[in-house]
Amino acid sequence: MNGTSAGSYPIDVWGLIITIVLVAVAAGLSYAMRLGVHRQMLWATIRSLIQLLAMGYILKFVIEQNNPWLVFALIAVMILAAVQITMSRAANIPRSVMPSVLLTLTASVILQVCVVTEMIVRPHPWYAPTVLATLSGMLLGNVVSAIAVAMSRFFSDMDARRYEIEMMLSLGATPFEAAKPSIISSVKLGMIPTISQLASSGIVLIPGMMAGQVIAGADPLTAAKYQFVVLAVISALTLMADSLIMILIYKTSFTALHQYRPSNER
């Protein structure tokens, strides 16, 4: 088997151990320099290893079964977990926005399945778990980060602009007009990592999907096409998700009489 054959570079137990040792050395450096991130880094590394290995076994089972109901059940569980992660990451947001988060994430996944999976990739069968589950996971990861940042920024910015908002409302502005500056700044902030990754891919950065395919022996040009489709569509859907969540939640900052509602009253 030559060096470019698929599966010719397997990662064994020793590879995982060396990786963990490297993280431990970095954490030790953080501890020695009193940077204060060693515990979080070690915990995140262990949690990531357990979660990824568990997902690997689950995906293997779902792929072997090749059952559409199992595929969509897995995606549903991923969406519910994404809702919980979003709520935990976003700071100082009311619990009442959880249904809006669920709706936003579900709509994003449905669009991804309809557009990317069925119109661009066109797998056989149409519910191919290797495509649906993996693409849904990548999309949810990006959307969760973006809307968590956007929501945190929105509510903090609204509180910071309280007197300005109340003045605008008193002068006849609608709640949307009063909230619009906060909506714009929140969406922009949430989109910064996604747009930066899209812009730097191929020159500064070889993204994980493309790198993984090339290492596994896939044609680099084919890997580049797949990576472009994934990054571009995820960027578009993330922007749509950011915009949708803002439309769904901005009214929580106002009463039925169009008066501003402070964060401690939401």
Side-chain angles (χ1 to χ4, degrees):
M1 184 179 294
N2 59 47
T4 59
S5 300
S8 58
Y9 304 112
I11 296 178
D12 55 16
V13 175
W14 284 109
L16 297 177
I17 292 175
I18 292 171
T19 302
I20 295 173
V21 169
L22 180 62
V23 173
V25 171
L29 180 62
S30 169
Y31 177 78
M33 296 179 65
R34 301 294 190 270
L35 299 179
V37 296
H38 54 283
R39 287 192 180 90
Q40 296 95 316
M41 189 171 185
L42 286 172
W43 168 242
T45 300
I46 295 171
R47 179 176 175 177
S48 173
L49 176 61
I50 294 172
Q51 290 178 166
L52 287 171
L53 290 178
M55 179 56 76
Y57 282 113
I58 293 171
L59 279 174
K60 182 179 179 181
F61 173 77
V62 173
I63 291 170
E64 289 174 349
Q65 296 300 311
N66 199 29
N67 185 311
W69 294 109
L70 279 178
V71 176
F72 287 107
L74 175 59
I75 293 174
V77 171
M78 292 166 65
I79 291 174
L80 293 176
V83 172
Q84 189 276 326
I85 293 171
T86 303
M87 297 300 296
S88 64
R89 285 186 183 180
N92 302 317
I93 64 171
R95 301 296 295 179
S96 60
V97 304
M98 185 178 292
S100 298
V101 173
L102 175 60
L103 177 59
T104 300
L105 295 178
T106 303
S108 300
V109 171
I110 291 174
L111 274 173
Q112 175 256 309
V113 171
C114 293
V115 177
V116 184
T117 306
E118 303 308 326
M119 296 178 66
I120 299 176
V121 180
R122 299 187 295 275
H124 299 285
W126 66 269
Y127 57 83
T130 52
V131 178
L132 256 67
T134 52
L135 289 181
S136 297
M138 285 190 287
L139 171 67
L140 286 171
N142 280 269
V143 172
V144 162
S145 298
I147 67 174
V149 170
M151 288 193 298
S152 298
R153 173 61 177 267
F154 174 75
F155 286 112
S156 63
D157 196 60
M158 290 289 284
D159 283 340
R161 296 178 54 240
R162 174 177 180 176
Y163 298 113
E164 175 191 342
I165 292 170
E166 290 176 342
M167 181 187 69
M168 293 177 69
L169 293 173
S170 68
L171 293 175
T174 64
F176 180 77
E177 289 172 336
K180 188 175 179 180
S182 297
I183 292 174
I184 292 173
S185 64
S186 301
V187 171
K188 284 183 177 180
L189 183 64
M191 287 300 298
I192 286 175
T194 302
I195 294 176
S196 298
Q197 183 182 35
L198 181 63
S200 62
S201 295
I203 298 178
V204 178
L205 169 69
I206 298 180
M209 181 180 179
M210 179 178 175
Q213 285 185 311
V214 173
I215 291 173
D219 174 57
L221 184 58
T222 301
K225 291 176 181 177
Y226 269 97
Q227 187 65 75
F228 166 73
V229 167
V230 169
L231 286 178
V233 174
I234 283 179
S235 297
L237 292 179
T238 301
L239 178 55
M240 293 179 188
D242 263 357
S243 303
L244 177 59
I245 195 67
M246 290 294 106
I247 292 172
L248 292 174
I249 71 171
Y250 85 89
K251 290 183 179 179
T252 62
S253 295
F254 302 91
T255 67
L257 298 176
H258 292 183
Q259 296 173 324
Y260 182 68
R261 178 185 291 144
S263 59
N264 59 353
E265 297 178 9
R266 295 178 193 135

